[in-house]
Amino acid sequence: MTRTHASLIGWGHFAPETVVTNDDLAKMVDTSDEWIRSRSGIEQRHFVTEDQATSDLSIEAGRRALDRAGVDPEDVDLVIVATSSPDYLTPPVSSQVQHGLGCTNAGAFTMMVGCTGFVYGLVTADQFIQTGAYKTVLVVGAEVISKNLDFEDRTTCVLFGDGAGAVVLQATDAPCGVRSFELGSDGSQAEALIAPCPGTRNPVSQYAIDNRTHYLRMDGKAVFRFATRTMTESLERVMGKAGVGVPDVDLFIPHQANARIIEYAAKQLGLPPEKVVMNVADYGNTSAATIPIALSEALDAGRAKAGDTLAMVGFGAGLTWAACLFDLGPLAVSPSDAGEEADRAGGDGAPDSVIDDRGVVDGLIA
Ligand code: UT7
């Protein structure tokens, strides 16, 4: 009996036009380009403008992925949006994305699993396709973290950025898609990465705002320790489950939070640099969007090719982790192959300074 598999047939990413360099941030908080680069590898990040939200970035990335796949939005059966920064707590941002893209025949749900959300979403989409329930699924990872950053907390605000990436999976008989996976969670470390308000534990109140609990807080050292351990171990386990080793994997696409964490994992596993995607310098940590952006860039650049085996691994709030081995089938070829690659990164890519003399970055007051 033939089995149904999920083929990745479309991809796309989008980052808002506004680029904020480390030097820009150094005008707002007590930090320096040297500190940020040496501790994290980040050189710049993209921030939305006041009028942009997560659904806008998701829709742009989703549209690019559908165009690339040559899929009519009405033929999409399911839209999954992974994010921890939805436009609203209610309604789910996935419905805004489904509507904005014209996926009129699709169900939609949001996965709030922090930085690991995209891998959770990809694995879930693959399951829906393997069971035969759905034929075509759009998976988006998108975040607007900049609006939840405390620009009085230099330990956290320098690390994050905004962006979105998306893929289209479609049913096929060809052997491809998720070959093995691991989804993990350790809720005992919930406090290590938390935005306490708003929520049912801390509804919006003057007290909550006065105490800045509506901003993202992170125990960087705790997350660092967790990340270095779980990345290596979960990758080893998914390779073990699939009966493959490092030489059998064509490209590793890790969560882009910190270059030191990626380099540590690469060293532990004996990965050569050409097999590891790293773009944290350009985007910072875009949480659930890092892996789909890195994947989309790798596909655009031909670093990930038809038939390749990819390893993806993420870690983050929860604390959670997720890893999978994903086999690429034949890839979609669209008119954009002819030379629209420059458009794909969003904006013109030039790191223009956007801060003015008063320390204002497009509505964010220093
Ligand atoms: O998606 C998951 C998200 N999170 C992560 O992956 C984060 C994981 N953690 C990390 O990446 C690292 O722990 C950080 C980059 C957050 C911090 O690096 P670190 O080497 O652990 O620095 P540290 O926290 O030990 O801070 C060292 C020093 C401190 O000064 P003292 O106490 O030694 O005088 C900090 O106050 O650096 C100071 N510092 C800064 N200095 C300049 C902290 N933040 C800054 C800053 N600029 N932005």
Side-chain angles (χ1 to χ4, degrees), residues 30-31 35 39 115 154-155 158-159 193 218 220-221 223-224 255 257-258 260-261 285 315:
D30 181 15
T31 190
W35 192 94
R39 300 291 171 132
C115 301
R154 67 176 182 171
T155 64
V158 301
L159 301 173
L193 187 40
M218 181 169 68
K221 280 194 191 307
V223 179
F224 196 97
H255 173 45
N258 186 320
R260 285 158 61 207
I261 294 174
N285 182 349
F315 60 88

Side-chain angles (χ1 to χ4, degrees), residues 201-266:
R201 181 79 54 198
N202 291 292
V204 178
S205 66
Q206 196 54 51
Y207 176 84
I209 293 169
D210 290 346
N211 286 282
R212 309 181 81 75
T213 60
H214 50 305
Y215 291 125
L216 193 65
R217 292 183 195 160
M218 181 169 68
D219 177 348
K221 280 194 191 307
V223 179
F224 196 97
R225 277 193 300 274
F226 172 81
T228 46
R229 181 169 49 81
T230 54
M231 263 176 90
T232 313
E233 290 178 0
S234 61
L235 277 173
E236 278 172 341
R237 283 191 293 265
V238 292
M239 287 191 290
K241 277 185 194 176
V244 304
V246 165
D248 305 304
V249 178
D250 298 290
L251 202 60
F252 289 81
I253 307 178
H255 173 45
Q256 308 284 314
N258 186 320
R260 285 158 61 207
I261 294 174
I262 297 173
E263 282 158 5
Y264 177 87

Side-chain angles (χ1 to χ4, degrees), residues 27-45:
K27 293 176 193 157
M28 300 169 71
V29 291
D30 181 15
T31 190
S32 66
D33 176 53
E34 197 282 324
W35 192 94
I36 301 170
R37 269 177 207 260
S38 61
R39 300 291 171 132
S40 71
I42 298 166
E43 296 174 16
Q44 62 172 44
R45 71 286 292 140

